Amino acid sequence: MVKELKFVIITGLSGAGKTLALKVFEDYGYFCVDNLPPALMPTFCELCKQSIKKINNIALVIDIRGGGFFDNLFESLKALRDEGYVYQILFLEASDEALVKRFKESRRLHPLAPDGRIINGISLERQKLAMLKADADFIIDTSLTTPGRLKQEIVRRFIEIEKQEPLLINIVSFGFKQGNPLDADLIFDVRFIPNPYYIDELRPLSGLDPDVRNYVMKWPESIRFMEKLEDMINFLIPYYIREGKNQLIIAIGCTGGRHRSVAVANEIAAHLKTGNMRIAVDHRDIDKDRSEISGA
């Protein structure tokens, strides 16, 4: 049951849109509670787990309105983790200018500056929430965001994410002399690797041939490059997914796009196919200038 529970903690700056965010979750069937004291979160989750009516989705607003209770937040979060609950933190923020304008328009007092200037309350709140913001899974700046756009962001990040197919990664090999792929998200230049074009028996072949692949990948710089590149891609992919990206295009370029880039692109594809992703490989320029074999 614990593993089935989808649990979102909404927090952030006063005036940044937490009430609207909670309303969006409520509209999509989440059991929502505003301004719950952090110390009660473990007990609340346990009650939801044991309720007769099955509760799978919970959204809570936790912020500085809790006063002294808010100081116990990190202890409560640790208690949740110790009990096996998995939660996500959505942090809403906005610029000082946007927040001041909203407080003036609503004629509300800032909770940390009831008798003082709004800007001072905002500054103090930013300090109190700095550590929580650092731990947030999602940060949305609502400075220039309309209520409709904020709703779309929340739906995209939390409601629709379970319906999305695995990330599609397109790996494109290309030749710089043919031009960069215009739709590439990441471009890597492998022209530093020794060129098989200058080996007579390898020149007519391509990076699809084992002899060319072995030549390209045998160098210490090639091995080190692949280690670093795979490590960086592994690091980036979860963040692209978190941002709602459904397709990632990685372009690998050499001079002509026939030897080195092809071999490296295939190596990356082989590495990524071990994960839960869809992989497509396109050797864009492998047959360009084939009759002349003019370099790769």
Side-chain angles (χ1 to χ4, degrees):
M1 173 62 186
V2 172
K3 293 182 179 180
E4 296 177 359
L5 183 66
K6 190 170 184 182
F7 181 20
V8 179
I9 298 172
I10 305 169
T11 188
L13 299 172
S14 300
K18 298 188 297 294
T19 300
L20 175 59
L22 190 66
K23 178 61 177 174
V24 175
F25 283 102
E26 185 177 20
D27 289 343
Y28 281 89
Y30 277 68
F31 188 87
C32 298
V33 178
D34 187 17
N35 199 20
L36 182 74
L40 297 181
M41 285 195 298
T43 302
F44 175 76
C45 290
E46 185 64 23
L47 289 174
C48 290
K49 185 177 71 171
Q50 296 178 1
S51 65
I52 298 176
K53 183 178 179 180
K54 190 175 182 181
I55 298 176
N56 289 328
N57 300 327
I58 297 174
L60 306 177
V61 171
I62 305 291
D63 57 28
I64 51 88
R65 289 175 297 165
F69 291 113
F70 185 76
D71 296 334
N72 298 323
L73 176 59
F74 287 97
E75 293 180 11
S76 298
L77 292 177
K78 182 179 183 302
L80 287 175
R81 293 193 298 270
D82 291 344
E83 292 295 325
Y85 291 101
V86 177
Y87 58 84
Q88 293 178 303
I89 298 177
L90 169 61
F91 190 98
L92 300 179
E93 66 173 356
S95 66
D96 288 353
E97 292 80 5
L99 294 174
V100 169
K101 181 180 178 181
R102 292 170 189 174
F103 273 102
K104 284 184 173 293
E105 289 177 346
S106 66
R107 302 193 178 188
R108 292 171 50 215
L109 297 174
H110 192 283
L112 293 184
D115 302 317
R117 296 177 60 197
I118 296 172
I119 191 66
N120 292 337
I122 294 172
S123 177
L124 179 58
E125 188 174 24
R126 287 191 189 278
Q127 295 176 28
K128 285 181 171 292
L129 296 178
M131 290 181 61
L132 184 57
K133 179 181 177 181
D135 284 347
D137 298 284
F138 302 94
I139 300 174
I140 299 179
D141 188 328
T142 67
S143 301
L144 303 175
T145 302
T146 64
R149 179 57 182 164
L150 177 57
K151 178 178 179 178
Q152 291 175 4
E153 279 293 298
I154 292 173
V155 171
R156 179 177 67 84
R157 293 171 185 255
F158 292 92
I159 310 302
E160 294 181 346
I161 191 68
E162 294 180 348
K163 303 177 183 178
Q164 294 178 355
E165 294 183 348
L167 179 68
L168 171 61
I169 301 180
N170 291 95
I171 304 171
V172 181
S173 68
F174 73 98
F176 279 101
K177 71 175 185 175
Q178 308 292 346
N180 295 2
L182 297 179
D183 56 350
D185 297 296
L186 302 171
I187 296 180
F188 298 97
D189 184 348
V190 296
R191 288 176 291 186
F192 67 91
I193 297 174
N195 196 343
Y197 170 76
Y198 296 109
I199 307 299
D200 291 340
E201 60 269 27
L202 299 180
R203 187 179 303 126
L205 306 177
S206 76
L208 298 177
D209 293 284
D211 288 345
V212 173
R213 181 268 172 200
N214 293 338
Y215 179 86
V216 170
M217 299 308 303
K218 75 176 183 178
W219 308 99
E221 55 266 41
S222 302
I223 297 172
R224 189 75 186 278
F225 171 75
M226 290 303 302
E227 292 174 350
K228 289 182 174 294
L229 180 58
E230 291 172 357
D231 183 61
M232 184 174 72
I233 292 174
N234 288 338
F235 169 78
L236 291 173
I237 284 174
Y239 293 100
Y240 282 124
I241 294 175
R242 189 179 75 177
E243 289 303 308
K245 198 172 183 64
N246 54 25
Q247 182 181 27
L248 177 66
I249 301 177
I250 302 173
I252 309 296
C254 58
T255 306
R258 181 170 173 78
H259 295 117
R260 292 167 290 181
S261 62
V262 172
V264 171
N266 283 347
E267 289 295 308
I268 297 172
H271 168 73
L272 292 175
K273 284 179 180 177
T274 60
N276 182 29
M277 290 162 288
R278 296 176 293 157
I279 309 297
V281 182
D282 176 23
H283 300 305
R284 191 192 73 177
D285 300 327
I286 193 170
D287 291 322
K288 298 284 180 67
D289 300 328
R290 187 171 183 178
S291 60
E292 299 178 8
I293 311 295
S294 56

